[in-house]
Structures are given as structure tokens and as C-alpha cells.
Amino acid sequence: MSPPRVVIVGCGFAGLWAAQAFRKAPLDVTVIDRTNHHLFTPLLYQVATAGLSAPSVAGPIRHILADQKNVTVFLGEVRAVDLAKRAVRLEDGQELGYDYLVLAPGTTHSYFGHDEWAPYAQGLKTLEDALEIRRRVLSAFERAEREADAARRAAWLTFVVVGGGATGVELAGTFAEIARHTLRGEFRRIDPHNARVVLVEGANRVLPPYPPALSAKAQLALERLGVTVWPSRMVTGIDAEGVSLGAERLACKTVIWAAGVAASPLGAALGAPLDRAGRVKVEPDLSVAGHPEVFVAGDLAAVEKVPGIAPAAKQMGRHAAKNILRLIARQPSTKFRYRDYGQLATIGRNTAVAVIGKLELSGFPAWLVWLVAHIYFLINFRNRLVVMLDWGWAYFTYQRYARIIIRALK
Amino acid sequence: MSPPRVVIVGCGFAGLWAAQAFRKAPLDVTVIDRTNHHLFTPLLYQVATAGLSAPSVAGPIRHILADQKNVTVFLGEVRAVDLAKRAVRLEDGQELGYDYLVLAPGTTHSYFGHDEWAPYAQGLKTLEDALEIRRRVLSAFERAEREADAARRAAWLTFVVVGGGATGVELAGTFAEIARHTLRGEFRRIDPHNARVVLVEGANRVLPPYPPALSAKAQLALERLGVTVWPSRMVTGIDAEGVSLGAERLACKTVIWAAGVAASPLGAALGAPLDRAGRVKVEPDLSVAGHPEVFVAGDLAAVEKVPGIAPAAKQMGRHAAKNILRLIARQPSTKFRYRDYGQLATIGRNTAVAVIGKLELSGFPAWLVWLVAHIYFLINFRNRLVVMLDWGWAYFTYQRYARIIIRALK
């Protein structure tokens, strides 16, 4: 009898942790991802801000899983799931049958129904997104240096980050550091210090999932770095020349979108109930109602009180895999319980905020926790070494070595 | 009186060394480059073969020149030189006047009149080219893993490198190492060891500028690595399905072009005599006939017995700058003399060939010379550290950490 076939769609934290939970199980596991790499998304903003190179935050999936002989890795994009036939369809029409399915495709940007903003407001989900943000931000300073007209120069030196969650805070803080420190003394016609970084958040404070006291500290830390923080403001328009906020207009050439995510469209095709963000309302064991052989894990799964962060995705991926192993062993599946290890967001050099259980940290202690945690959880030993070297260098020199625009004159 | 204006077009080895030779001179120097970085081209093939990340072989021009206060750096593309008006025109129409000009724009790929081959035969000149080669080569193995048809699978696993100069030899040798070592054990349906790497060279031996004995050793070393070396063969056709060599046809999906370069079209516009490759036949002092204020340096300059390698470009750039300083001091310009420090080409792990004066080296001693020279000449200290770490890691593990496809499903 051939071993049960498990297909895992997506190799982010949920998919990879599911695959690794099948280690040594007598299964035929296929992992399918649109890219060839597992991405350490918590550090993706560092690629966008030229602090790390792309390979420092990504590891080839088939290298990570090389020793797990029951796993086949396919580079491909799952376009559809046929629940009745128990098969997924890839971008070239190829079909792969499964006995058990783990669906962990993650999210994409959502412009809240304003897809026309997409070309002007770059989001951050993939390495390609990160390199595009790097290109736009560094190129803006280059354009400003060549611009004779003062108003246009000011627009090139204005950077708007939409969305005050962890990603928005990290990007805005680092942009301010780049303008004030990294680029100092390198331009002749402009002073990068005059760059204006504006962080716009719809809620009444940045980092809404955090306790209000930490949000206030984060805002203060951002303002000290030179970021203009605008809470309680809604973006109503984005085009090539700037951003509208109701009646107000801000001339700027670079807008970064850190505001909204939408679940993968694969969720909608399952026929299961969805939440407002398009995530699948899964059963307590993470399966899809009426399909005990199909599990959803990571950002596509809507589970009450579970945040969309890496530790939650890992736990869901591992739990889905363990439930599959239980079903194969003819045992009942178990309920998913989220174990909350806390949340961390960095703001800039020496400053971060953290919630760990009942402990609330900010400033330098939070930053140290952030630093150690992120280096510790990086996927392989070599990346850890490189990232430590890069950060050590950057810390003492204020330099950011990945300041390379790959496609300069786009 | 305002200081003399010097414009330097291109910031490769010639342009950067010219700019640095003006250090402390009372001049108004403008450096214009199409990218924001100086590229260490001798190691570009390592980016293409996933051994180094892009930022490891590139440094931001304005960072390198930050302390040289007489230099302004512009990201831009010079489209035309107006010799009569003494001005260069940028891509947006902006004009920059000069009193002295150093033209060092380098080369581009040449398909010998077969521009229709370009989409199928990726060349290697820029970081973008290198990432595209990386993408194509790594993706070919991914496609092979998913391909059920044996003939098509074989075409995905066949890699043709056109051109047996230093770049072609380096690429072919490294592709063979990737197939035999780096990817070992990571695929389930294909054996990467079965990949075929073919190096095609029109001359009767690889590395034609080297002594015949070293060419023979290089061929032997390539063959030991598993490369099929085909000297004395001319490519007569390249399309999406393979390569034609006269009556012979080789089915392959990945072709790399390391065969021909053409000088920048800026040379043709000067009205000076050109050689067959489109390079400007400069005066003995590197100036353009009839225009003592215009100098050509680097790959665009045709100087007898001077090879198109980095040390020659540096020497020309520095010499052009020194002649400009002499002219400003009302002294006659001097003749350029090339100082030959030798040539080096690496083939793979532990093996290279080198000519240093009358000394001919091959195998491990040549490889050591290559290693030390390339780390030594890397542009800044931090890159050297990172490259040493990357190479140390790769040497002992056979791994190549930059195996990241940034745009996977293109």
C-alpha cells in the first residue's frame, strides 16, 4: 500500500512547520510554494531598508528540507483546490491528488477596494516587494539631488508610510534613521536630514494591538527619530504626486503601504465561512467544516484571539500536521490552543516595544529582547552569523551595506 | 574664479579611479553613473552563481566618494556628448557643461549582429544580469523536477555557456559544481548530477589570451568538474528550445552569453576613429584626436596590447585624471603606459590559471593567488569581511547561500 499523500500549500512559517512535524512519518509529502525560499518575514523590512541583503532573510526550501526524505518540493502556484476530487491544480494545469491537505498560502496586500493605489503605494510581502521599496526610497534621494525645483525636491524628500502596525512603525523609524544618519555627508545639493517621514494610522494610536502605554512610547520614540506620526487619519487618495487625507493634501513621490492585508483567494473557493478579511473560519481543530482531511493554517486561518504573527503560524502549522498524524492513526483530532509568547516591534536603533505575558517592555530592554529573539529564530546558522555581522557593522558605523539599487533607471 | 568643471561618465574601475585621482584638487567634479553603485565586476559571476549576494560585490558610489568634497554624484544616463558645446546630455534632457571630460562608460553585450538571440542568451554585465542568470539556472532545476517528459527534462538540465573567455570558464565551472555538489540530495525526481554543462568557444582553445599550456590545463580542469568543452565551434542559432552549431542541434532551455562585448555607443558619437569592437582609438595620452580636453578610459578606449580587465581600466582612469591635472597646470599631457601585473581566471574549487609576468601558475597555487587578490581588491573593508565569511562557509559546506530566486514565477 502506498503511503498517504499530504500536500502542503505554501512554505511560510505555517507550511514549513507542518512539513517538519511530518519528519520520519511514513507519508508522501509534497510542499508547493510560489518561490524557492522560506522567507523570514519578521526581518523583511530590513531588506527593504537596505540593512540586509535578500539572501540573509531567506533559505532555499529544498535545502531546509533536504534531509527529510519523505518530502518533495515543487516550485509552483496552486490556483485551485478541488475538495470533491481531493486535488490541487497548479498554474500550468497540472493536478496533484492528496489524502490530506494543509492550506497555508498566507496573505497579500489589500488596498481596501482601491486597487488603483497599488502602483503608487508599494506593499511589503515578498523579497521582490522589499527590493522595490529599497529602489524607490534610495532613488528618491537620488532624484532629489538632481532636482532644481524646490517644491519638486521636497516631494522627492517626503516619504509617507500608510499603516501604523509593526511593519509601518519599523519602516518609518528606519527611513528616518537612513535620512539622518546613513546618508549624512553624501549629498552636495540636498541635505537628507530635511527628508520628511510621515506615518499615517487610521486608529487613534500606532501599534493598535499593543497596550496604550506602549503605543504612546512607540509614538514618542518615532518622533524622537524625526518621524511625523499622524494617528486618527484616513488616506482617501494616492496618486503619482502625493497622498490625500480628506481635505488635506501631502505632495510626495514615495508611498509605502503597510495598512492592510487580504487573505489568499484560495480560501474563498473552499465554500467555508470567511471573516471580513477573507480568512477561513476554521473548526477548533483547524480543519474546514465538512472536510476533516483539509486543514488551514497561518494567516489564512481565522481563529479568535490569534494574531497574524510568525509564532502563531508555526503553532498552527505544527498542530495541523499533528492532527493529520492522529487521523491517520485513527485517533480524533484535537483543538488548537494558541500559546502566547508575546509580541515585539522594533522602532529603531536601541528602541522597541514588547509584550511578554504580563510584562511590558520598551526602549533599550525591549530592543535587546527583539535582537536576541530575531537572531535566535533565523532559520539557519549561517544566516544568523551573517545577520549578526551585518548588524554589528551597522550599529557601530550607522552604515547600511545593502544600499544597492539593482534596477536604477527603471 | 570658479574651479574647472570635470565630468566623469561612468563609475566603473576607470571612472572611480579617475575621480579618486582628483582627491584634494581644486576642481568641481561630477560623476555620472546609470546605477548607484560601483560594481566589482571580477566577482559578478559569483552573484550569478548564487555564491554571493548582490550587495557583497557593489558599493554605493556616493558612499565611496563621500569624503571627497569636490565630487558631486549623479544617478543618470549620459545619452550624448556635445564636443563643440563641451556638454553632456542626460536621459531627461538636462545638460551638464564641462571643461574636461573623462568618458568611461564601459561595454555592453554584443550578439554579433544577432540581436534576436538576446532574450534566450542572457549576458553578464550588471547586477540585474547576474540575478537574471541566477534565476534562470536555479529555475531550470526546479522546472526539471516537475517535468514528466524525459526529453524536456533533459533540455531543462542542459546549460550552454557561449564564450570560453574568463567569464565563460568561471560560469561553466561553477554551474558544474552547483549541479554536482550544492544541489546534491535536494531533489526527489531528478538527479542534478545528470545536468550537462557545455562550454562553446569559437577559437581552438578556452582562455585564448592565455598561453596555450594554461588553456589546456583550464580545459582539463573544466572536464574534471564535469563540463563538456567544445572549442572550435561556432554558434549559428539560439532560440527558446536550444542552440544550433552549424548542422548540429543541442536541445537546452538555458543559454548564457559570455562571448562578445560591444563598446558603449557614446564612443561612436565622438567622431574619432573606432576599432572593430567600436572602441575609440585614442591618442597616446588617452585623449580624443582634436579634443585634448576629452579623455577616454576603460573598456571604451582602444589601446594596443592593453586587455579589457580591471587593472587596465584603473590605470587608464588614473592616467586620464593626471593628464587633466597637468593640462590645468599648463604642463603637457603624458603618454599612457600599461603596467602589466598579469591575468587570472578561476575555474572552480581549488583550481585557477594565472600569468604573472613570466610566471605561469595553474591548479591550487593559482587559485590561492586568485583568492587573495580578489579579496584584497574588493572595494571596502566590510565587503571583504562578508565575502571571506561567505567563501569560508561555501568552501567547507559546498553550500551557496544566495540560492534565492527573487522573481520565481516570471
Side-chain angles (χ1 to χ4, degrees):
Chain A
M1 203 183 79
S2 57
R5 296 162 305 163
V6 179
V7 168
I8 300 174
V9 178
C11 199
F13 288 106
L16 181 56
W17 261 251
Q20 291 182 329
F22 290 130
R23 180 180 293 274
K24 293 175 188 164
L27 297 171
D28 173 4
V29 181
T30 304
V31 173
I32 307 167
D33 198 283
R34 278 190 293 195
T35 74
N36 80 328
H37 50 272
H38 170 74
L39 187 58
F40 192 77
T41 43
L43 290 180
L44 189 56
Y45 84 97
Q46 288 260 352
V47 178
T49 54
L52 291 173
S53 73
S56 293
V57 301
I61 293 167
R62 62 173 72 259
H63 182 61
I64 298 171
L65 294 170
D67 295 335
Q68 204 172 322
K69 296 301 175 195
N70 62 353
V71 172
T72 300
V73 177
F74 276 174
L75 173 69
E77 182 170 356
V78 171
R79 291 276 167 81
V81 179
D82 189 331
L83 290 172
K85 205 171 166 184
R86 297 196 177 179
V88 298
R89 197 168 65 242
L90 300 184
E91 80 291 345
D92 63 349
Q94 195 184 338
E95 289 201 344
L96 275 175
Y98 63 80
D99 298 307
Y100 298 93
L101 178 66
V102 178
L103 211 52
T107 57
T108 179
H109 320 301
S110 162
Y111 292 91
F112 304 136
H114 287 282
D115 286 349
E116 74 276 13
W117 296 351
Y120 313 111
Q122 177 65 44
L124 180 61
K125 277 282 156 197
T126 65
L127 278 181
E128 200 176 351
D129 293 341
L131 295 179
E132 178 63 15
I133 290 177
R134 188 198 286 177
R135 187 187 73 74
R136 291 190 189 189
V137 171
L138 296 178
S139 298
F141 287 98
E142 298 291 338
R143 294 293 292 266
E145 177 82 341
R146 274 182 59 181
E147 179 60 61
D149 178 75
R152 292 164 64 91
R153 201 162 54 227
W156 281 116
L157 289 176
T158 302
F159 302 87
V160 175
V161 177
V162 183
T167 301
V169 164
E170 284 160 356
L171 288 173
T174 316
F175 291 157
E177 286 191 343
I178 289 174
R180 302 203 158 201
H181 296 289
T182 311
L183 300 180
R184 183 163 52 190
E186 299 193 1
F187 290 80
R188 300 293 176 256
R189 303 183 171 198
I190 61 165
D191 181 353
H193 198 287
N194 294 332
R196 190 174 180 206
V197 180
V198 181
L199 178 63
V200 181
E201 165 59 43
N204 64 358
R205 55 191 177 94
V206 297
L207 299 176
Y210 286 70
L214 286 188
S215 292
K217 283 184 177 165
Q219 176 164 348
L220 197 67
L222 285 166
E223 285 166 351
R224 276 208 200 104
L225 285 170
V227 177
T228 304
V229 181
W230 281 357
S232 305
R233 303 254 199 144
M234 296 299 283
V235 169
T236 53
I238 305 176
D239 56 48
E241 304 303 329
V243 172
S244 301
L245 304 111
E248 198 164 1
R249 175 79 182 168
L250 192 58
C252 76
K253 300 293 280 182
T254 313
V255 182
I256 308 300
W257 186 259
V261 293
S264 159
L266 281 178
L270 296 179
L274 303 179
D275 76 355
R276 233 168 29 127
R279 299 180 305 165
V280 178
K281 289 185 175 169
V282 290
E283 300 290 296
D285 67 349
L286 299 180
S287 70
V288 172
H291 287 278
E293 77 284 6
V294 177
F295 292 84
V296 181
D299 284 345
L300 181 57
V303 185
E304 218 170 319
K305 291 190 182 162
V306 176
I309 60 176
K314 292 179 189 177
Q315 291 176 33
M316 283 193 253
R318 199 186 295 125
H319 192 82
K322 289 196 169 156
N323 272 343
I324 288 172
L325 293 174
R326 288 180 69 86
L327 293 178
I328 290 171
R330 298 181 188 276
Q331 295 170 327
S333 65
T334 62
K335 183 174 183 309
F336 173 68
R337 284 174 208 279
Y338 173 56
R339 190 152 171 204
D340 186 359
Y341 294 101
Q343 290 203 57
L344 278 162
T346 184
I347 298 153
R349 196 181 176 75
N350 297 345
T351 180
V353 291
V355 184
I356 304 163
K358 301 210 166 171
L359 189 65
E360 294 179 13
L361 294 175
S362 62
F364 190 71
W367 185 76
L368 270 188
V369 170
W370 177 88
L371 190 72
V372 171
H374 282 75
I375 287 177
Y376 179 77
F377 285 114
L378 253 183
I379 197 73
N380 66 55
F381 172 68
R382 195 201 156 285
N383 281 359
R384 271 178 225 170
L385 254 179
V386 171
V387 167
M388 278 195 281
L389 178 67
D390 288 345
W391 285 355
W393 183 265
Y395 188 86
F396 292 108
T397 64
Y398 279 99
Q399 270 310 311
R400 305 184 75 78
Y401 87 108
R403 280 171 50 200
I404 302 304
I405 306 176
I406 287 164
R407 280 194 288 177
L409 286 172
K410 193 181 177 181
Chain B
M1 203 184 78
S2 55
R5 295 162 305 165
V6 179
V7 168
I8 300 175
V9 178
C11 198
F13 288 107
L16 181 56
W17 261 250
Q20 289 182 330
F22 290 130
R23 180 178 293 273
K24 292 174 190 165
L27 297 172
D28 173 3
V29 180
T30 304
V31 173
I32 307 167
D33 197 283
R34 277 190 293 195
T35 74
N36 81 327
H37 50 272
H38 170 74
L39 187 58
F40 192 76
T41 44
L43 289 181
L44 189 56
Y45 84 96
Q46 289 259 354
V47 178
T49 55
L52 291 175
S53 72
S56 293
V57 301
I61 294 167
R62 61 174 73 258
H63 182 62
I64 298 170
L65 294 171
D67 294 335
Q68 205 173 319
K69 297 300 175 195
N70 62 354
V71 172
T72 301
V73 177
F74 276 174
L75 173 68
E77 182 170 356
V78 171
R79 290 276 168 82
V81 179
D82 189 330
L83 291 172
K85 205 173 165 184
R86 297 195 176 179
V88 298
R89 196 168 64 242
L90 300 184
E91 82 289 344
D92 63 350
Q94 194 184 340
E95 288 201 343
L96 274 174
Y98 63 81
D99 298 306
Y100 298 94
L101 179 66
V102 178
L103 211 52
T107 58
T108 180
H109 320 301
S110 163
Y111 291 90
F112 304 137
H114 287 282
D115 285 347
E116 73 277 13
W117 297 351
Y120 313 111
Q122 177 64 45
L124 181 61
K125 278 282 155 197
T126 64
L127 278 181
E128 201 177 350
D129 293 340
L131 294 180
E132 178 64 15
I133 290 176
R134 188 197 287 177
R135 188 186 73 75
R136 291 190 189 190
V137 171
L138 295 178
S139 298
F141 287 98
E142 298 292 338
R143 294 294 293 265
E145 177 82 342
R146 274 183 58 181
E147 180 59 61
D149 178 75
R152 291 164 65 91
R153 201 162 54 228
W156 281 115
L157 290 176
T158 303
F159 302 87
V160 175
V161 177
V162 184
T167 300
V169 164
E170 284 159 355
L171 287 173
T174 315
F175 291 156
E177 286 190 342
I178 288 174
R180 303 205 157 199
H181 297 289
T182 310
L183 300 181
R184 184 162 52 191
E186 298 194 2
F187 290 81
R188 300 293 177 255
R189 305 184 169 197
I190 61 164
D191 181 353
H193 198 285
N194 293 333
R196 189 175 181 206
V197 180
V198 182
L199 178 62
V200 180
E201 165 59 43
N204 63 0
R205 56 192 176 93
V206 296
L207 299 177
Y210 286 69
L214 286 188
S215 293
K217 284 185 176 163
Q219 176 163 346
L220 197 65
L222 284 166
E223 286 166 350
R224 277 208 199 104
L225 285 171
V227 176
T228 304
V229 181
W230 280 358
S232 305
R233 304 255 198 142
M234 296 301 282
V235 168
T236 53
I238 304 175
D239 56 47
E241 303 304 328
V243 172
S244 301
L245 304 111
E248 199 164 1
R249 175 76 182 172
L250 192 59
C252 76
K253 299 293 280 183
T254 314
V255 182
I256 308 299
W257 186 259
V261 292
S264 160
L266 281 179
L270 296 178
L274 303 179
D275 75 356
R276 233 172 25 134
R279 298 180 305 165
V280 178
K281 291 185 173 168
V282 290
E283 300 290 294
D285 67 350
L286 300 180
S287 70
V288 172
H291 286 278
E293 77 284 6
V294 177
F295 292 84
V296 181
D299 283 345
L300 182 58
V303 185
E304 218 171 321
K305 291 189 180 163
V306 176
I309 59 177
K314 292 179 189 177
Q315 290 176 34
M316 283 193 252
R318 198 186 296 124
H319 192 82
K322 288 197 169 157
N323 271 344
I324 288 171
L325 292 174
R326 289 180 68 86
L327 294 177
I328 290 170
R330 297 181 189 277
Q331 294 171 327
S333 66
T334 63
K335 185 175 182 307
F336 173 68
R337 284 174 208 280
Y338 173 56
R339 189 149 170 206
D340 186 359
Y341 294 101
Q343 290 202 56
L344 279 162
T346 184
I347 297 151
R349 196 179 175 76
N350 297 344
T351 179
V353 292
V355 184
I356 304 163
K358 300 210 166 169
L359 188 65
E360 294 179 13
L361 294 176
S362 63
F364 190 71
W367 185 76
L368 269 189
V369 171
W370 176 87
L371 190 71
V372 171
H374 281 74
I375 287 177
Y376 179 78
F377 284 114
L378 254 183
I379 197 72
N380 66 53
F381 173 68
R382 194 201 158 285
N383 282 357
R384 270 178 226 170
L385 254 180
V386 171
V387 167
M388 278 195 281
L389 176 67
D390 288 344
W391 284 355
W393 182 266
Y395 188 85
F396 291 108
T397 63
Y398 279 100
Q399 270 310 311
R400 306 184 74 79
Y401 87 106
R403 280 171 50 200
I404 303 303
I405 306 176
I406 287 165
R407 279 195 288 178
L409 285 172
K410 194 182 175 180

